[in-house]
Amino acid sequence: MKIMAIMVDVDGVLIVHPNSGGWADDLERDIGIEPSLLHRAFFARHWHDVVNGRAALRDRLAPVLESIAPNVSCDTLIDYWFAHDAHLNHPLLAELAAIRATGVQVHLATVQEHERARYLWNALDFRNRFDAMHYAADLGCSKPDPLFFRTIESRTRFQSGSMFFVDDRIENVEAAIACGWSAALWTGQVTLHSLMANLE
């Protein structure tokens, strides 16, 4: 079946941080929050609800910051986080632009909460690079839940076999394949064209 749309993950694929510690690598030096403390107090306890659209980011983050870093506002941390988690994979974006120019749609299929999704779409200008964005908080579920893929099918009306999905986590790739999608693991070692050539 001809590929009509490419579905691309964001973190680890379109955005790849140069440091192993990711966006929070210098968090303690820059704004005084120890990353492991933020992880325990916020991400481990609240992120599942936030990223799946069951709670607003600021509603859960504000009381955590009051407890662990009362001098740091939600705006300060969120602005820092988003700005330091925006290292674009320009070669891949160029490949996607060339493919899109041939008439194949390119979409985002990503696990995000609402605020960062808007940041990606507007501040990073993904709205002019992609035809649509499908993200966890809007869908109400995350990869690798089959419902994530089935909801995208329902929204786009693309047949499962007409979509090619790229992700840096093997469990997500396997879930997409189980739903009938074409899919490949992104390692950053080969081009998108090479991955797609393996479908032929």
Side-chain angles (χ1 to χ4, degrees):
M1 183 179 293
K2 181 181 178 181
I3 297 299
M4 304 298 293
I6 300 175
M7 301 284 170
V8 190
D9 180 39
V10 172
D11 296 300
V13 180
L14 288 169
I15 291 178
V16 181
H17 203 282
N19 299 329
S20 60
W23 69 269
D25 213 26
D26 297 317
L27 185 63
E28 186 169 16
R29 181 198 70 189
D30 292 341
I31 61 175
I33 300 177
E34 205 278 309
S36 64
L37 177 59
L38 180 65
H39 176 78
R40 291 193 304 272
F42 175 69
F43 287 101
R45 296 181 181 179
H46 301 288
W47 187 243
H48 186 74
D49 284 343
V50 170
V51 84
N52 286 293
R54 293 191 287 273
L57 173 61
R58 292 167 190 269
D59 288 349
R60 295 294 181 89
L61 182 59
V64 169
L65 289 177
E66 287 175 10
S67 174
I68 69 171
N71 294 323
V72 179
S73 68
C74 278
D75 282 343
T76 296
L77 179 58
I78 291 170
D79 289 348
Y80 181 93
W81 167 11
F82 292 1
H84 285 76
D85 206 10
H87 297 268
L88 298 179
N89 184 342
H90 291 288
L92 178 56
L93 286 167
E95 277 197 278
L96 288 165
I99 292 171
R100 190 183 187 205
T102 70
V104 176
Q105 290 194 22
V106 292
H107 294 216
L108 301 172
T110 180
V111 176
Q112 306 291 337
E113 54 76 44
H114 293 298
E115 288 202 38
R116 186 159 182 255
R118 288 193 295 270
Y119 179 86
L120 295 170
W121 198 244
N122 297 312
L124 295 189
D125 201 33
F126 279 1
R127 63 183 177 181
N128 288 316
R129 298 174 184 263
F130 294 88
D131 294 288
M133 174 167 55
H134 315 286
Y135 66 98
D138 186 49
L139 300 176
C141 55
S142 297
K143 297 175 282 187
D145 187 336
L147 186 60
F148 181 92
F149 302 96
R150 296 305 187 202
T151 305
I152 292 175
E153 290 174 15
S154 176
R155 290 186 174 194
T156 63
R157 300 188 182 277
F158 285 121
Q159 293 183 334
S160 58
S162 70
M163 291 182 286
F164 181 66
F165 172 69
V166 183
D167 198 284
D168 65 324
R169 295 182 178 272
I170 189 62
E171 63 268 27
N172 297 336
V173 172
E174 291 174 345
I177 291 172
C179 288
W181 293 28
S182 296
L185 180 67
W186 180 262
T187 64
Q189 302 302 307
V190 299
T191 65
L192 179 62
H193 286 90
S194 296
L195 292 178
M196 296 185 71
N198 292 331
L199 298 177
E200 299 174 356

